Structure formats: C-alpha cells, structure tokens
Amino acid sequence: MRIEFTLNGEARAVEVAGTTPLLWVLRESLELSGTKFGCGRALCGACTVHVDGTAVRACSYPVRYVAGKQVRTIEGLERDAVGRAVVGAWIDLDVVQCGWCQPGQCMAAAALLSADASPDDATIDGAMSGNLCRCGTYPRIRAAIHRAAATLRGEDGR
Amino acid sequence: MSAPSTRRDFLAGSLLSGGGLVLGLAFGDRARAASFFPGAAVDFVPHAFLRVAPDGTITFLAKHDEMGQGIHTGLAMTVCEELEVDVDAIRVVPAPADPAFAHSTYGIQVTGGSTSTWTSFDQVRGAGATARAMLVAAAAERWGVDVAACEARDGAVHRTDGSGSATYGELAEAAARQPVPADVPLKDRAQFTRIGKPTPRIDSASKVRGTAVFSLDQRVSGMLTAMVARSPYFGGALKSVDDAAAKAVPGVKAVVRVPSGVAVVADGFWAAFAGREALVTEWEPGEGTRMDTERLRAEFVEKSRSPGLPARSDGDPEGALARAGRTLEAVYEVPYQAHAPMEPLSCMVTLRDDGGAEVVTGSQMLGGDHPAVAGRLGVDPSKVTFRNSYLGGGFGRRANPGSDFTLEAVEVALAARSLGAPIKTVWTREDDLRGGWYRPMFVDAMAAGLDGGEVVAWRHRVVGQSIIEGTPFAPLLIQNGIDATSVEGAADMPYAIPNLGVELHTVALPVPVQWWRSVGHSNTAFAKESFLDECAEALGRDPCELRRALLADHPRLLRVLNLAAEKAGWDTPPPAGVGRGVAVHESFKGFAAHVVEASIEDGRPRVRRIVCAIDCGPVVNPDQVESQLQGAAIFALSATLGSQITFRDGRVVESNFHDFQVVRMHEAPVVEVHIVDSTDEMGGIGEVGVPGIAPAVCSALRAAGGPRVRRLPVGNQLA
Ligand code: FES
Ligand code: FES
C-alpha cells in the first residue's frame, strides 16, 4: 500500500506492505540506517524513533500507523534545540562505545527532555530503562542527560 | 609453578618471528603498501599504515577493529604523537585484510585478548616516526639545509630559524622519493604531548548521529538479504523441509540448502524474516539431546569429585588438605553465556566471476576469515577482498575460530549464485542467542585447608568444555591435555599458599564454545575470589587484609587493591543495610581491583556502587580506560545478576532480551574508576575489568546479610 507521512520535516511516500515494521522501511526503503535493529521485539530500544513526538519502537510499529503523521529519526534529531543539546552532550562526554545503541538512546533521551526539562535520576531510570546498552555506557548516558538538561536551562552544565 | 601458556604466551613463544615479518611487510614493500590506498600513485605512502596526499589529507589504516573500545582513537593518538599532527587532522580507516596488518604478536590479523594497545604501540609509533623523518628529509632537501635545522610540528615542517615552513601535503611528493630510514628513534615518554592525555573519541559524532557505518548498515545496489533456519539442536541435522509457503511470501527470491540449514533469500530483512517464519522444518536432534542444563550440572559436579589433570601443583596439596585442622569445600557454577553484541551478526558476500569474492563484514579476525573464505572458494587469497566495518559490539563473538558467520554467508552466496546478486546474510537476536559459540558452562570445585589462622592448602578443580580444542590454536594452547584458557586465572593464581593444586576435567559436548570477554578468567576469578572470601570469613579475617597478606610478592596487585580499598572507604563502615565485597585479579597483563557496595531489597540484589582500580602500565587515553572499566563492570554485572544460556531437552531456553536479561539503566550502579599512574609494563584493559565483578558482587551480598551465592547468575537466589 502507499503510505504518506512526514519524515524529519519532509513529505515522504512509500509503497510497501502496511504490516512491514517502520524500522525496515526507514533502514531499507528510505536508506536511513541511523535507526538500529537490536531485538525486533520492542525489548532493547535500539530502533527508537519519534512518531508525533512520542518515542516508539520502530521494529514493532507497523508502517501503516505512521500514515499522515510526523516521524523523526536520529537523522532529524538536531532539527530542534532539545535534539541539539542531546547530541552535543553525547559527543562532549564521549558516551559511545560500540555506538550501536546510541541513536536509540539519544531519541529516548530527547523524548524525555521534551517532557521533563529537569529529570532527576529516578525519572531518567524510568524513561531510559527500555534502552539497552550492552557496552555498559549507562553512567555516561545519565551524565549526558543531566548535561543536556543543563544546556537547555541555559546553564553550562559542567 | 608451571606458567600456563595463555593466548599471549602462545604468540610470544611461537610467533616472535611473525613480529619481525609483520614489520617487514608493513614497512618493507612500498609498492604493495600503496595498493592499500586506492589512487595513491603520486602520494606519500611510506608503509602500509599511512598515506599523505598532496592536498594534505592524511589517511591512517587502523590494524585493529573498533568495537567500542576506542582503539581507533588510541591508535590515531599513537601515530600522531610521532607524526606531529593532531588526531582530528587525520582520517582513520579500517585496514583491509592483509598480512601487513597482522597482530604484532599473534601473527594474524585479529583484535582480541586486550592486546591491541600494548602490542601495536611501538610499531604504530614507528610508523608515525618513519613518515615524519621522511617528510623532514624532504623539507631539508628542498631548503638545502640539514635535517637538524628542520622541525616537524602540527602537520608541517618548520625551519628552526623561523624562515619558512611547508605543510605535509606540500612535502608529500618529495617525501615519497626519500629512502625509508632504517631506524628512527622514538620519543621518550616525557616528550609525549598527546599520549596520556584524555582525548575525545574520533568516532563519537558519527556514531551519535547515526552516520557511522556498521556491517548491518552496509548496502550495495541490487543486494538481497538472507536469513538461515538452523538446527535448534547442536549436532542436529535437517530431516525435512517444506518451503512452499516460504517461496510464496512476497519478496522471497529463493530458498536454498546450506550446510548449517535452510536459507531464505529475499528482498530485504522483513521479507527474509517472513519467509523464514513460513518454512516448515523438521530436525533430527542427534547428539544435541545431551544438552540439558540440569543434567549437565549434575554430571559436572559428579566429575568434580574426582581428581582431574594437574595444571599446577605446589607443595603437597592433597596431604596438606588431609592434615589441616579445618577444611572448607565449596562448588561454584557458571552457565553458558552469550556475547549478545548489540548489533546482530551479518556478512555480505558478492561472488566474483574469477571465482573470488568481495566480503563486507564486521569481524574481529580478518586474519582467520580471509584465508577461510579463500579456502572455501578454492582461490588464492588475493582474489578475496574484505571490507570491515565498525563493530556493534564484539566481546569475542566476532573473532570466530571457525569463521562461522562469515563462511555461512559464503555458503548462502554460493547456493544462491544463480540470483546473481550480492547477498547479506543477517542474524536476528534469536539467532544470536540460540546460535552457540558461548562462553562454556563451568563447575569449579574448591577446597581449602586452614591452620593457625592461615590458608595452608588450596585446591581448585575446573570442569568444563575446551574453547581451544578443535581449533588451529590447539597445538599451541593445549599441552598435556590442559587447555590453558580453561585454567587461566586459576593455575597462575598469585596468592602465597604453600600447598596449591589446580586440576582440570575437560568435557566434550556438542555445543560450540568460544572466548567471551575475559575468557577463562570470567569463571576462575569468580571461584578463586569468592572462595578466598569464604576462607577469610572462616578465619575471621578481613577480606582485604587477608589478600594483602597473601600478595606480598605482587606489588602491582597490592597497589590496585590498596587504591580501590582506599577510594571505596573500605575501613569506614558502609551505609546501613549495605555490604561491601572486594576482588583483585590479574588478567591479560592488566591488574584490577574492585570494591562493590550492594544491598538486598525485597529479596533482590541491588548493586549501588562499584569502585575499580586498574594498573595497565602507561596509558594512551585515560578517558577511554575509564570508559572501558565502566563498561566492563556493567557487562560483567549482567552475567552476574541475570543473563545466562540454559538448555532444556536439547534446546536453548532463552531467545531474546526478555529472558536473556542484561543490566538496564535502573540497575546500573555508579562506577568509579581510578587509574594507577604506572610506569610498569604496558598491559591490557578491555577485559581486565570483567573478572572481579562477579565475586565482588557476591561477597558484597554476603556481607549485606545474604547467603554466599555460588552459582551465577544470582537471579532470584536471594528471595
Ligand atoms: S530493535 Fe526495536 S526495541 Fe529492539
Ligand atoms: S554503545 Fe555499544 S551497545 Fe551501547
């Protein structure tokens, strides 16, 4: 079926089976491979994207449900201040190790910071516990979320 | 004491000549070196590692694979230190498969054993220094001055009298005509301006922004995707397959038989997945029925009651145990463990008309995969090219001794050759967790004799599968029936106990096993350090004090132990309800100590704080040492608390991250890392932070009032 939606601010249309997970449409049909595959069962968060501002698991999200909606992926994250703060903090603190989980981590963190400008550690735990990092970068992810929040509040965060 | 031959000794002993050969290859043949840099005809390519183009672009080929450990940044810092150029002014590209990029001591191209930094340090510095010397010589010639009147700095050669300078790009063509100097002096440590300083990773921005290319992200036009249905039984075989429904799935191009099972080749991941779901297969379990965790546990424990092959015998362990005033015995167990790198495995193969192939992959061991593919295709290795990617985690899995996922992808490409397309064979998480090549399951039977407030006898019996048996490494690493990796960390244990025996029972089972971050140490350190704590408890001695007393002759272990204990506040009481546990262990030429604070809440373990100290000798990038130690702690914590691979009726029980439970954000403790300012021998880092976690956590839980956990993972044993 033909599905039209907005992807990172641009109108897009794809011709695919509506049950295909959004992840494979992004990665293969649209050649945006920043969104990663880690489990395929909504268990790891590697595939996190935003649909109408909400973080969803693209691996388990049939593409037909994005018809008419706004989809944002890591490739479009820096289009707003929250996204820029997140990416900036991640780079500044050298959060990444292998990096495979990190686009998903950033998408989850940006969704969190859009909803709560000053999350405490318990809030971070709640929002981020669906995003696995096998390399164990959690301490730096936590620090980077605090750093991004500080940046967004206009503090230098250091 | 018999020094066991571990992986690193194997290289040292057997392949020293390889080291010279490597240098010879990498430095000797400039025409060949230039072939690694397409289009480099007029550029300056002093050797296999570096190319300076006239436009000033400097390309560095990284011989070690970047799987998260920051080695591309570390190697770049190392070459830049001598080349006198900033890290962000060079481009780092993964090396192609070629003996020029062989591991400096293992002799083949591989990344593993926590060896990348220390084994390549002098070689890569030499690469930078050689290039710098030739650039300086070219500048001196241009200006008609002595090289002493020229100085390399910030990507340019400057006249020391300030009268001029030329960039490396401007000098590239002239430098290419200089002879390669035989012996270039390297800097003293005191002269370092880049090595030793916390330095940002070169791959952070691209990985955060999703533009870094991993194996699964690789695509070429016309590419197809394959998924393989494999036997659910290790050692099983295909009995029947009905592929009619699979072939009817839109996008499925072919269903083909391969040695490992049935491959569905399709237009994209989702079609391949749907096609494989539609396959109807029946499997003959064969030997696979032997795999049943509860049965194996009983078998292993039974075996551990009788003496194994001796791996070490100091004094008279059996006599001393018999004579001791008091003896302690305990059995420790660890399960099969999957690596579960976050990026599932994949490998793309394009068959060439000349019988060769192009392989695009994410491998830790091109030096094994390259000849394996050439061998399977029956062609000279020159007809097989490899392109490596960033690795979305490795932990050992991508250095497969049988090149399993690489060769399987070749089999798929061969079986589906008539499609005439590049084929990327991909794995799902279920395939990964159920695909074997695990860290083996082990039982460690411990016994100690206590007398006069001291540990006077110690016996450590290891029961488990050999990782090395059946691999090309066997002749070197298995001696007198002892696989050195099965007893590493036990046979070389440092504690001064006069009567000390280490024995091994090697068990043969159909499941393939492999090195998993820290290899044998992931098991032996758990048993050794936990049991030493049991001895301390029985003797009424402080666990740190007992270790200090037994490590008098091991200054580097003592130093990390004291540092971790001090930073953790070992001598001050922990918060109410919190217990502290300690572990200290040497592995991969690195020395680590951990102090863990944990509590038990509603019958569940809660690890609150991990303090680690490491001595890995001189450090290249302290920020990445910290990062590796944090990551190692959390990786190890997953295996300590929740993750395991178990078998029931011949099949793997776990399938994905709901039942293979790894640590998540809310369970991740604070991890404090302290690096010893050490001028001792350089050693490993990436694996060194793993072995101490399990015993320190279990001792902390014990100190918090829980039982002594002797079987990993802790799971719900505290409930
Ligand atoms: S791949 Fe979607 S949650 Fe894991
Ligand atoms: S950085 Fe490797 S999985 Fe998170």
Side-chain angles (χ1 to χ4, degrees), chain B residues 243 247 254-258 261-265 411-413 415-417 419:
Chain B
D243 61 12
K247 282 179 165 156
V255 178
V256 293
R257 292 285 303 272
V258 289
V262 184
V264 177
V265 187
E411 295 292 351
V412 171
R417 176 163 220 155
L419 296 173

Side-chain angles (χ1 to χ4, degrees), chain B residues 130-193:
Chain B
T130 302
R132 183 200 61 219
M134 293 166 77
L135 289 157
V136 168
E141 198 175 270
R142 171 186 288 198
W143 296 322
V145 299
D146 192 82
V147 290
C150 304
E151 186 200 14
R153 189 171 9 100
D154 297 331
V157 181
H158 305 265
R159 294 187 69 165
T160 47
D161 63 8
S163 65
S165 69
T167 66
Y168 287 175
E170 289 163 0
L171 292 167
E173 279 196 67
R177 291 191 299 270
Q178 297 294 321
V180 180
D183 229 343
V184 185
L186 302 178
K187 284 184 182 176
D188 279 342
R189 200 181 164 199
Q191 300 170 281
F192 289 165
T193 58

Side-chain angles (χ1 to χ4, degrees), chain A residues 23 36-47 57-59:
Chain A
L23 175 62
K36 305 304 188 190
F37 164 68
C39 71
R41 312 245 177 217
L43 296 164
C44 78
C47 64
R57 305 295 187 231
C59 69

Side-chain angles (χ1 to χ4, degrees), chain A residues 109-131:
Chain A
L112 163 65
L113 288 169
S114 298
D116 182 344
S118 295
D120 59 14
D121 280 339
T123 309
I124 291 175
D125 283 349
M128 300 300 294
S129 63
N131 285 75

Side-chain angles (χ1 to χ4, degrees), chain A residues 96-102 105 132-135 137, chain B residues 342:
Chain A
V96 307
Q97 288 188 28
C98 85
W100 189 253
C101 73
Q102 300 295 349
Q105 303 280 2
L132 290 179
C133 177
R134 189 65 169 141
C135 298
T137 63
Chain B
M342 207 68 218

Side-chain angles (χ1 to χ4, degrees), chain A residues 6-106:
Chain A
T6 307
L7 176 62
N8 298 326
E10 282 176 40
R12 302 300 288 258
V14 289
E15 187 66 48
V16 287
T19 51
T20 311
L22 174 60
L23 175 62
W24 303 110
V25 175
L26 292 171
R27 284 182 58 86
E28 296 180 347
S29 314
L30 299 169
E31 302 196 349
L32 289 182
S33 55
T35 305
K36 305 304 188 190
F37 164 68
C39 71
R41 312 245 177 217
L43 296 164
C44 78
C47 64
T48 306
V49 299
H50 298 174
V51 175
D52 282 352
T54 303
V56 305
R57 305 295 187 231
C59 69
S60 306
Y61 201 91
V63 66
R64 67 166 180 268
Y65 294 131
V66 304
K69 294 189 177 161
Q70 302 273 344
V71 177
R72 189 152 72 142
T73 67
I74 187 69
E75 288 86 355
L77 185 60
E78 288 171 279
R79 291 163 50 84
D80 72 14
V82 172
R84 284 191 294 276
V86 166
V87 169
W90 246 253
I91 294 172
D92 273 3
L93 297 184
D94 260 352
V95 172
V96 307
Q97 288 188 28
C98 85
W100 189 253
C101 73
Q102 300 295 349
Q105 303 280 2
C106 289

